[in-house]
Amino acid sequence: KIYDAASDAFDCDFCKGGIYNSEIDRSGGDGFDFSGSDVELKSVNVTDVKDKSISAGENSKLRLENGRFVRVGVGIAAKDASNVVGDKIVVEDYTLYAAMTYQKKPIFGRYSFLSLRNVQTTGTAPYKSQIGTELQIDGSYILGSELSVKDMYSQGIMKK
């Protein structure tokens, strides 16, 4: 359990392993931030996170089962050649998107993949997939669209 983190609650660079029965509550950055990692997550709850509940970047490979994300900026983000597969996901009360794919760092290439099954969420436009990336929700692909990552990181919840 991690509570009241000023920045990212759990930052995992080039890690391999598993995270089970975990809880993050109140983080000023990301809940779980992965870079170049290969990790399995099971039964994770993230609440009151300013930025992303789960951020997979820089060629990370994540497998997620039973995730609940409440009052977050973004539920799950796969970026910069990362691959994320999840099952039994709940995202409630998000600011930007429940799930998204995009390219932040051109050195890693555009292709990122995020596939979620058995998803429960609200909102009229809960998903965003930048052209050149893939986002699949309960077997349906989300159409890619233009996205200015520079603008996204210069304002709002992702402002650095």
Side-chain angles (χ1 to χ4, degrees), residues 87-112:
D87 189 23
K88 300 176 190 149
I89 308 298
V90 176
V91 184
E92 298 174 339
D93 197 10
Y94 55 88
T95 304
L96 196 54
Y97 297 105
M100 65 185 307
T101 55
Y102 60 96
Q103 177 193 30
K104 181 180 177 187
K105 299 176 182 174
I107 190 170
F108 289 98
R110 291 190 71 88
Y111 186 76
S112 290

PDB file of all heavy atoms in Angstrom, residues 87-112:
ATOM      1  N   ASP A  87      -7.435  -7.597 -18.164  1.00  0.00           N
ATOM      2  CA  ASP A  87      -8.730  -8.248 -18.052  1.00  0.00           C
ATOM      3  C   ASP A  87      -9.358  -7.864 -16.717  1.00  0.00           C
ATOM      4  O   ASP A  87      -8.654  -7.762 -15.707  1.00  0.00           O
ATOM      5  CB  ASP A  87      -8.550  -9.770 -18.133  1.00  0.00           C
ATOM      6  CG  ASP A  87      -9.864 -10.525 -18.230  1.00  0.00           C
ATOM      7  OD1 ASP A  87     -10.873  -9.933 -18.670  1.00  0.00           O
ATOM      8  OD2 ASP A  87      -9.882 -11.712 -17.867  1.00  0.00           O
ATOM      9  N   LYS A  88     -10.669  -7.651 -16.730  1.00  0.00           N
ATOM     10  CA  LYS A  88     -11.431  -7.266 -15.547  1.00  0.00           C
ATOM     11  C   LYS A  88     -10.949  -5.918 -15.012  1.00  0.00           C
ATOM     12  O   LYS A  88     -10.337  -5.812 -13.956  1.00  0.00           O
ATOM     13  CB  LYS A  88     -11.358  -8.343 -14.475  1.00  0.00           C
ATOM     14  CG  LYS A  88     -11.907  -9.672 -14.945  1.00  0.00           C
ATOM     15  CD  LYS A  88     -11.728 -10.743 -13.901  1.00  0.00           C
ATOM     16  CE  LYS A  88     -12.068 -12.086 -14.513  1.00  0.00           C
ATOM     17  NZ  LYS A  88     -11.299 -13.162 -13.923  1.00  0.00           N
ATOM     18  N   ILE A  89     -11.246  -4.883 -15.783  1.00  0.00           N
ATOM     19  CA  ILE A  89     -10.780  -3.528 -15.514  1.00  0.00           C
ATOM     20  C   ILE A  89     -11.976  -2.609 -15.251  1.00  0.00           C
ATOM     21  O   ILE A  89     -12.944  -2.605 -16.018  1.00  0.00           O
ATOM     22  CB  ILE A  89      -9.984  -2.967 -16.721  1.00  0.00           C
ATOM     23  CG1 ILE A  89      -8.878  -3.934 -17.157  1.00  0.00           C
ATOM     24  CG2 ILE A  89      -9.460  -1.573 -16.426  1.00  0.00           C
ATOM     25  CD1 ILE A  89      -7.823  -4.208 -16.117  1.00  0.00           C
ATOM     26  N   VAL A  90     -11.893  -1.812 -14.198  1.00  0.00           N
ATOM     27  CA  VAL A  90     -12.911  -0.809 -13.887  1.00  0.00           C
ATOM     28  C   VAL A  90     -12.212   0.543 -13.808  1.00  0.00           C
ATOM     29  O   VAL A  90     -11.223   0.690 -13.082  1.00  0.00           O
ATOM     30  CB  VAL A  90     -13.616  -1.118 -12.540  1.00  0.00           C
ATOM     31  CG1 VAL A  90     -14.598  -0.009 -12.190  1.00  0.00           C
ATOM     32  CG2 VAL A  90     -14.310  -2.468 -12.591  1.00  0.00           C
ATOM     33  N   VAL A  91     -12.723   1.523 -14.556  1.00  0.00           N
ATOM     34  CA  VAL A  91     -12.191   2.891 -14.496  1.00  0.00           C
ATOM     35  C   VAL A  91     -13.382   3.816 -14.268  1.00  0.00           C
ATOM     36  O   VAL A  91     -14.280   3.907 -15.105  1.00  0.00           O
ATOM     37  CB  VAL A  91     -11.452   3.295 -15.783  1.00  0.00           C
ATOM     38  CG1 VAL A  91     -10.836   4.683 -15.615  1.00  0.00           C
ATOM     39  CG2 VAL A  91     -10.393   2.280 -16.168  1.00  0.00           C
ATOM     40  N   GLU A  92     -13.378   4.505 -13.129  1.00  0.00           N
ATOM     41  CA  GLU A  92     -14.472   5.403 -12.770  1.00  0.00           C
ATOM     42  C   GLU A  92     -13.932   6.797 -12.469  1.00  0.00           C
ATOM     43  O   GLU A  92     -12.886   6.928 -11.841  1.00  0.00           O
ATOM     44  CB  GLU A  92     -15.201   4.885 -11.530  1.00  0.00           C
ATOM     45  CG  GLU A  92     -15.842   3.525 -11.716  1.00  0.00           C
ATOM     46  CD  GLU A  92     -16.434   2.978 -10.433  1.00  0.00           C
ATOM     47  OE1 GLU A  92     -16.028   3.423  -9.336  1.00  0.00           O
ATOM     48  OE2 GLU A  92     -17.294   2.098 -10.519  1.00  0.00           O
ATOM     49  N   ASP A  93     -14.648   7.793 -12.895  1.00  0.00           N
ATOM     50  CA  ASP A  93     -14.328   9.185 -12.571  1.00  0.00           C
ATOM     51  C   ASP A  93     -12.907   9.563 -12.997  1.00  0.00           C
ATOM     52  O   ASP A  93     -12.062   9.911 -12.187  1.00  0.00           O
ATOM     53  CB  ASP A  93     -14.543   9.433 -11.075  1.00  0.00           C
ATOM     54  CG  ASP A  93     -14.638  10.920 -10.751  1.00  0.00           C
ATOM     55  OD1 ASP A  93     -14.734  11.742 -11.691  1.00  0.00           O
ATOM     56  OD2 ASP A  93     -14.598  11.254  -9.557  1.00  0.00           O
ATOM     57  N   TYR A  94     -12.646   9.499 -14.310  1.00  0.00           N
ATOM     58  CA  TYR A  94     -11.350   9.883 -14.877  1.00  0.00           C
ATOM     59  C   TYR A  94     -11.465  11.295 -15.453  1.00  0.00           C
ATOM     60  O   TYR A  94     -12.534  11.728 -15.870  1.00  0.00           O
ATOM     61  CB  TYR A  94     -10.909   8.889 -15.957  1.00  0.00           C
ATOM     62  CG  TYR A  94     -11.938   8.709 -17.032  1.00  0.00           C
ATOM     63  CD1 TYR A  94     -11.976   9.536 -18.146  1.00  0.00           C
ATOM     64  CD2 TYR A  94     -12.910   7.720 -16.920  1.00  0.00           C
ATOM     65  CE1 TYR A  94     -12.950   9.387 -19.113  1.00  0.00           C
ATOM     66  CE2 TYR A  94     -13.891   7.567 -17.888  1.00  0.00           C
ATOM     67  CZ  TYR A  94     -13.896   8.400 -18.979  1.00  0.00           C
ATOM     68  OH  TYR A  94     -14.864   8.254 -19.928  1.00  0.00           O
ATOM     69  N   THR A  95     -10.346  12.008 -15.503  1.00  0.00           N
ATOM     70  CA  THR A  95     -10.332  13.378 -16.019  1.00  0.00           C
ATOM     71  C   THR A  95     -10.182  13.429 -17.538  1.00  0.00           C
ATOM     72  O   THR A  95     -10.894  14.167 -18.208  1.00  0.00           O
ATOM     73  CB  THR A  95      -9.183  14.182 -15.379  1.00  0.00           C
ATOM     74  OG1 THR A  95      -9.317  14.128 -13.968  1.00  0.00           O
ATOM     75  CG2 THR A  95      -9.178  15.620 -15.841  1.00  0.00           C
ATOM     76  N   LEU A  96      -9.254  12.644 -18.091  1.00  0.00           N
ATOM     77  CA  LEU A  96      -8.941  12.721 -19.516  1.00  0.00           C
ATOM     78  C   LEU A  96      -9.482  11.505 -20.281  1.00  0.00           C
ATOM     79  O   LEU A  96     -10.366  11.653 -21.119  1.00  0.00           O
ATOM     80  CB  LEU A  96      -7.430  12.858 -19.703  1.00  0.00           C
ATOM     81  CG  LEU A  96      -6.913  13.318 -21.045  1.00  0.00           C
ATOM     82  CD1 LEU A  96      -7.537  14.629 -21.479  1.00  0.00           C
ATOM     83  CD2 LEU A  96      -5.390  13.449 -21.002  1.00  0.00           C
ATOM     84  N   TYR A  97      -8.972  10.306 -20.009  1.00  0.00           N
ATOM     85  CA  TYR A  97      -9.428   9.082 -20.669  1.00  0.00           C
ATOM     86  C   TYR A  97      -9.329   7.899 -19.709  1.00  0.00           C
ATOM     87  O   TYR A  97      -8.461   7.857 -18.836  1.00  0.00           O
ATOM     88  CB  TYR A  97      -8.584   8.772 -21.916  1.00  0.00           C
ATOM     89  CG  TYR A  97      -8.693   9.826 -22.974  1.00  0.00           C
ATOM     90  CD1 TYR A  97      -7.665  10.730 -23.197  1.00  0.00           C
ATOM     91  CD2 TYR A  97      -9.848   9.934 -23.745  1.00  0.00           C
ATOM     92  CE1 TYR A  97      -7.779  11.725 -24.156  1.00  0.00           C
ATOM     93  CE2 TYR A  97      -9.971  10.929 -24.709  1.00  0.00           C
ATOM     94  CZ  TYR A  97      -8.935  11.814 -24.906  1.00  0.00           C
ATOM     95  OH  TYR A  97      -9.056  12.789 -25.853  1.00  0.00           O
ATOM     96  N   ALA A  98     -10.172   6.901 -19.947  1.00  0.00           N
ATOM     97  CA  ALA A  98     -10.090   5.649 -19.195  1.00  0.00           C
ATOM     98  C   ALA A  98      -8.887   4.836 -19.683  1.00  0.00           C
ATOM     99  O   ALA A  98      -8.210   4.175 -18.895  1.00  0.00           O
ATOM    100  CB  ALA A  98     -11.372   4.845 -19.360  1.00  0.00           C
ATOM    101  N   ALA A  99      -8.619   4.887 -20.998  1.00  0.00           N
ATOM    102  CA  ALA A  99      -7.471   4.175 -21.581  1.00  0.00           C
ATOM    103  C   ALA A  99      -7.009   4.916 -22.818  1.00  0.00           C
ATOM    104  O   ALA A  99      -7.835   5.472 -23.560  1.00  0.00           O
ATOM    105  CB  ALA A  99      -7.855   2.743 -21.925  1.00  0.00           C
ATOM    106  N   MET A 100      -5.687   4.921 -23.050  1.00  0.00           N
ATOM    107  CA  MET A 100      -5.172   5.597 -24.230  1.00  0.00           C
ATOM    108  C   MET A 100      -3.836   5.018 -24.681  1.00  0.00           C
ATOM    109  O   MET A 100      -3.099   4.437 -23.880  1.00  0.00           O
ATOM    110  CB  MET A 100      -5.056   7.104 -24.007  1.00  0.00           C
ATOM    111  CG  MET A 100      -4.069   7.553 -22.975  1.00  0.00           C
ATOM    112  SD  MET A 100      -4.099   9.357 -22.653  1.00  0.00           S
ATOM    113  CE  MET A 100      -3.925  10.063 -24.269  1.00  0.00           C
ATOM    114  N   THR A 101      -3.546   5.186 -25.980  1.00  0.00           N
ATOM    115  CA  THR A 101      -2.258   4.796 -26.563  1.00  0.00           C
ATOM    116  C   THR A 101      -1.711   5.986 -27.341  1.00  0.00           C
ATOM    117  O   THR A 101      -2.458   6.688 -28.027  1.00  0.00           O
ATOM    118  CB  THR A 101      -2.416   3.591 -27.513  1.00  0.00           C
ATOM    119  OG1 THR A 101      -3.398   3.897 -28.498  1.00  0.00           O
ATOM    120  CG2 THR A 101      -2.826   2.333 -26.755  1.00  0.00           C
ATOM    121  N   TYR A 102      -0.392   6.193 -27.230  1.00  0.00           N
ATOM    122  CA  TYR A 102       0.223   7.307 -27.950  1.00  0.00           C
ATOM    123  C   TYR A 102       1.743   7.169 -27.952  1.00  0.00           C
ATOM    124  O   TYR A 102       2.309   6.312 -27.282  1.00  0.00           O
ATOM    125  CB  TYR A 102      -0.191   8.658 -27.357  1.00  0.00           C
ATOM    126  CG  TYR A 102       0.181   8.868 -25.900  1.00  0.00           C
ATOM    127  CD1 TYR A 102       1.346   9.538 -25.544  1.00  0.00           C
ATOM    128  CD2 TYR A 102      -0.649   8.410 -24.878  1.00  0.00           C
ATOM    129  CE1 TYR A 102       1.674   9.743 -24.215  1.00  0.00           C
ATOM    130  CE2 TYR A 102      -0.332   8.621 -23.549  1.00  0.00           C
ATOM    131  CZ  TYR A 102       0.835   9.284 -23.226  1.00  0.00           C
ATOM    132  OH  TYR A 102       1.157   9.485 -21.903  1.00  0.00           O
ATOM    133  N   GLN A 103       2.382   8.039 -28.726  1.00  0.00           N
ATOM    134  CA  GLN A 103       3.843   8.100 -28.796  1.00  0.00           C
ATOM    135  C   GLN A 103       4.309   9.398 -28.167  1.00  0.00           C
ATOM    136  O   GLN A 103       3.909  10.481 -28.585  1.00  0.00           O
ATOM    137  CB  GLN A 103       4.320   8.046 -30.240  1.00  0.00           C
ATOM    138  CG  GLN A 103       5.825   8.175 -30.354  1.00  0.00           C
ATOM    139  CD  GLN A 103       6.287   8.428 -31.775  1.00  0.00           C
ATOM    140  OE1 GLN A 103       5.581   9.020 -32.569  1.00  0.00           O
ATOM    141  NE2 GLN A 103       7.480   7.986 -32.083  1.00  0.00           N
ATOM    142  N   LYS A 104       5.154   9.276 -27.154  1.00  0.00           N
ATOM    143  CA  LYS A 104       5.737  10.449 -26.511  1.00  0.00           C
ATOM    144  C   LYS A 104       7.176  10.663 -26.969  1.00  0.00           C
ATOM    145  O   LYS A 104       7.586  11.780 -27.223  1.00  0.00           O
ATOM    146  CB  LYS A 104       5.688  10.284 -24.989  1.00  0.00           C
ATOM    147  CG  LYS A 104       6.241  11.465 -24.226  1.00  0.00           C
ATOM    148  CD  LYS A 104       6.157  11.239 -22.729  1.00  0.00           C
ATOM    149  CE  LYS A 104       6.779  12.386 -21.961  1.00  0.00           C
ATOM    150  NZ  LYS A 104       6.837  12.092 -20.520  1.00  0.00           N
ATOM    151  N   LYS A 105       7.932   9.581 -27.084  1.00  0.00           N
ATOM    152  CA  LYS A 105       9.359   9.654 -27.423  1.00  0.00           C
ATOM    153  C   LYS A 105       9.600   8.966 -28.770  1.00  0.00           C
ATOM    154  O   LYS A 105       9.566   7.737 -28.851  1.00  0.00           O
ATOM    155  CB  LYS A 105      10.188   8.996 -26.331  1.00  0.00           C
ATOM    156  CG  LYS A 105      10.018   9.676 -24.985  1.00  0.00           C
ATOM    157  CD  LYS A 105      10.766   8.950 -23.892  1.00  0.00           C
ATOM    158  CE  LYS A 105      10.525   9.647 -22.546  1.00  0.00           C
ATOM    159  NZ  LYS A 105      11.123   8.882 -21.448  1.00  0.00           N
ATOM    160  N   PRO A 106       9.866   9.732 -29.822  1.00  0.00           N
ATOM    161  CA  PRO A 106      10.021   9.166 -31.168  1.00  0.00           C
ATOM    162  C   PRO A 106      11.094   8.074 -31.280  1.00  0.00           C
ATOM    163  O   PRO A 106      10.982   7.211 -32.145  1.00  0.00           O
ATOM    164  CB  PRO A 106      10.397  10.381 -32.021  1.00  0.00           C
ATOM    165  CG  PRO A 106       9.857  11.547 -31.275  1.00  0.00           C
ATOM    166  CD  PRO A 106       9.965  11.190 -29.818  1.00  0.00           C
ATOM    167  N   ILE A 107      12.077   8.065 -30.430  1.00  0.00           N
ATOM    168  CA  ILE A 107      13.139   7.065 -30.508  1.00  0.00           C
ATOM    169  C   ILE A 107      12.594   5.638 -30.380  1.00  0.00           C
ATOM    170  O   ILE A 107      13.166   4.690 -30.875  1.00  0.00           O
ATOM    171  CB  ILE A 107      14.236   7.332 -29.449  1.00  0.00           C
ATOM    172  CG1 ILE A 107      15.440   6.435 -29.693  1.00  0.00           C
ATOM    173  CG2 ILE A 107      13.703   7.135 -28.046  1.00  0.00           C
ATOM    174  CD1 ILE A 107      16.650   6.772 -28.870  1.00  0.00           C
ATOM    175  N   PHE A 108      11.438   5.475 -29.735  1.00  0.00           N
ATOM    176  CA  PHE A 108      10.862   4.145 -29.531  1.00  0.00           C
ATOM    177  C   PHE A 108       9.899   3.727 -30.639  1.00  0.00           C
ATOM    178  O   PHE A 108       9.403   2.617 -30.632  1.00  0.00           O
ATOM    179  CB  PHE A 108      10.138   4.082 -28.176  1.00  0.00           C
ATOM    180  CG  PHE A 108      11.096   4.105 -27.030  1.00  0.00           C
ATOM    181  CD1 PHE A 108      11.355   5.280 -26.355  1.00  0.00           C
ATOM    182  CD2 PHE A 108      11.751   2.955 -26.636  1.00  0.00           C
ATOM    183  CE1 PHE A 108      12.255   5.311 -25.306  1.00  0.00           C
ATOM    184  CE2 PHE A 108      12.648   2.972 -25.593  1.00  0.00           C
ATOM    185  CZ  PHE A 108      12.906   4.147 -24.926  1.00  0.00           C
ATOM    186  N   GLY A 109       9.611   4.608 -31.567  1.00  0.00           N
ATOM    187  CA  GLY A 109       8.668   4.263 -32.632  1.00  0.00           C
ATOM    188  C   GLY A 109       7.232   4.491 -32.186  1.00  0.00           C
ATOM    189  O   GLY A 109       6.949   4.647 -31.006  1.00  0.00           O
ATOM    190  N   ARG A 110       6.338   4.486 -33.152  1.00  0.00           N
ATOM    191  CA  ARG A 110       4.944   4.833 -32.865  1.00  0.00           C
ATOM    192  C   ARG A 110       4.159   3.686 -32.265  1.00  0.00           C
ATOM    193  O   ARG A 110       3.218   3.900 -31.523  1.00  0.00           O
ATOM    194  CB  ARG A 110       4.245   5.290 -34.146  1.00  0.00           C
ATOM    195  CG  ARG A 110       4.748   6.624 -34.657  1.00  0.00           C
ATOM    196  CD  ARG A 110       3.867   7.142 -35.765  1.00  0.00           C
ATOM    197  NE  ARG A 110       2.574   7.577 -35.277  1.00  0.00           N
ATOM    198  CZ  ARG A 110       2.304   8.797 -34.834  1.00  0.00           C
ATOM    199  NH1 ARG A 110       3.253   9.699 -34.780  1.00  0.00           N
ATOM    200  NH2 ARG A 110       1.093   9.106 -34.434  1.00  0.00           N
ATOM    201  N   TYR A 111       4.455   2.448 -32.625  1.00  0.00           N
ATOM    202  CA  TYR A 111       3.546   1.360 -32.299  1.00  0.00           C
ATOM    203  C   TYR A 111       3.527   1.022 -30.810  1.00  0.00           C
ATOM    204  O   TYR A 111       4.517   0.600 -30.221  1.00  0.00           O
ATOM    205  CB  TYR A 111       3.883   0.102 -33.096  1.00  0.00           C
ATOM    206  CG  TYR A 111       2.860  -0.984 -32.859  1.00  0.00           C
ATOM    207  CD1 TYR A 111       1.613  -0.924 -33.460  1.00  0.00           C
ATOM    208  CD2 TYR A 111       3.131  -2.032 -32.006  1.00  0.00           C
ATOM    209  CE1 TYR A 111       0.655  -1.894 -33.227  1.00  0.00           C
ATOM    210  CE2 TYR A 111       2.185  -3.016 -31.769  1.00  0.00           C
ATOM    211  CZ  TYR A 111       0.958  -2.936 -32.381  1.00  0.00           C
ATOM    212  OH  TYR A 111       0.020  -3.893 -32.136  1.00  0.00           O
ATOM    213  N   SER A 112       2.373   1.198 -30.213  1.00  0.00           N
ATOM    214  CA  SER A 112       2.078   0.717 -28.863  1.00  0.00           C
ATOM    215  C   SER A 112       0.748  -0.008 -28.958  1.00  0.00           C
ATOM    216  O   SER A 112      -0.086   0.302 -29.806  1.00  0.00           O
ATOM    217  CB  SER A 112       1.963   1.868 -27.865  1.00  0.00           C
ATOM    218  OG  SER A 112       3.219   2.452 -27.641  1.00  0.00           O
TER     219      SER A 112
END
